[in-house]
């Protein structure tokens, strides 16, 4: 059995401006309310296969405490389920997971919706 890495190291966080601009200009998206995931293949020399950006708009949640709570929930759900992405594709991708809901969600909802976004991502990749 393959050892699954459940960490979320800094190398998996999307920080490079070039990749972020490419992601938002050329990326395709899948949606599972209250989450939207934008993805774009990247030519990266980094060892991590996926680079992830998590965003909660200030427009929807004025208080930073609420935005940070939602981001923490999304990052934790991603961290526990990211090995499914590795089974879907071998290419390197930049991903942005954006919260588009209006209320603060509970962890179970976010966990299910992150999984659903990954499933839709897999379906989109197979049809290309």
């Amino acid at each position: 059995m393959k050892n699954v890495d459940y960490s979320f190291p800094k190398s998996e966080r999307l920080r490079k401006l070039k990749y972020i601009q490419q992601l938002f200009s050329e990326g395709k998206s899948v949606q599972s309310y209250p989450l939207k995931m934008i993805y774009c293949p990247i030519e990266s020399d980094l060892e991590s296969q996926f680079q992830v950006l998590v965003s909660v708009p200030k427009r929807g949640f004025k208080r930073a405490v609420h935005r940070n709570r939602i981001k923490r929930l999304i990052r934790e759900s991603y961290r526990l389920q990211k090995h499914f992405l590795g089974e879907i594709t071998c290419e390197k991708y930049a991903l942005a997971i954006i919260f588009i809901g209006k209320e603060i969600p509970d962890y179970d909802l976010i966990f299910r919706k992150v999984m659903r976004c990954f499933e839709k991502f897999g379906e989109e990749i197979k049809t290309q």
Side-chain angles (χ1 to χ4, degrees):
M1 188 172 138
K2 197 169 123 180
N3 199 7
V4 180
D5 180 23
Y6 287 113
S7 65
F8 187 38
K10 217 169 192 178
S11 62
E12 288 185 20
R13 295 173 196 249
L14 182 59
R15 295 187 313 270
K16 198 167 187 179
L17 183 62
K18 174 184 152 189
Y19 295 150
I20 294 171
Q21 289 174 335
Q22 180 183 349
L23 178 66
F24 285 102
S25 63
E26 305 168 16
K28 296 181 177 70
S29 69
V30 291
Q31 189 170 330
S32 180
Y33 190 84
L35 297 177
K36 178 180 185 178
M37 187 169 92
I38 303 171
Y39 60 94
C40 181
I42 55 172
E43 304 298 323
S44 173
D45 54 350
L46 295 170
E47 71 281 348
S48 62
Q49 186 180 357
F50 296 98
Q51 291 207 315
V52 182
L53 173 137
V54 176
S55 174
V56 179
K58 194 173 185 178
R59 187 179 354 145
F61 297 91
K62 300 292 183 212
R63 294 178 180 244
V65 201
H66 300 296
R67 291 194 304 274
N68 292 339
R69 165 91 179 142
I70 295 168
K71 286 192 277 191
R72 254 194 327 271
L73 292 173
I74 295 171
R75 279 195 301 263
E76 179 67 3
S77 296
Y78 168 78
R79 185 183 72 81
L80 294 174
Q81 301 179 69
K82 69 180 181 179
H83 59 278
F84 291 120
L85 287 173
E87 297 168 5
I88 293 171
T89 181
C90 297
E91 291 182 55
K92 293 190 176 197
Y93 278 90
L95 305 172
I97 302 174
I98 303 168
F99 187 82
I100 54 175
K102 300 289 180 229
E103 287 97 37
I104 299 173
D106 63 333
Y107 177 72
D108 294 332
L109 175 73
I110 292 293
F111 192 85
R112 286 194 321 269
K113 296 302 180 168
V114 166
M115 189 65 213
R116 187 67 192 122
C117 281
F118 289 174
E119 290 167 358
K120 287 183 176 183
F121 170 69
E123 291 165 11
E124 292 275 329
I125 295 298
K126 286 184 176 83
T127 60
Q128 289 178 354

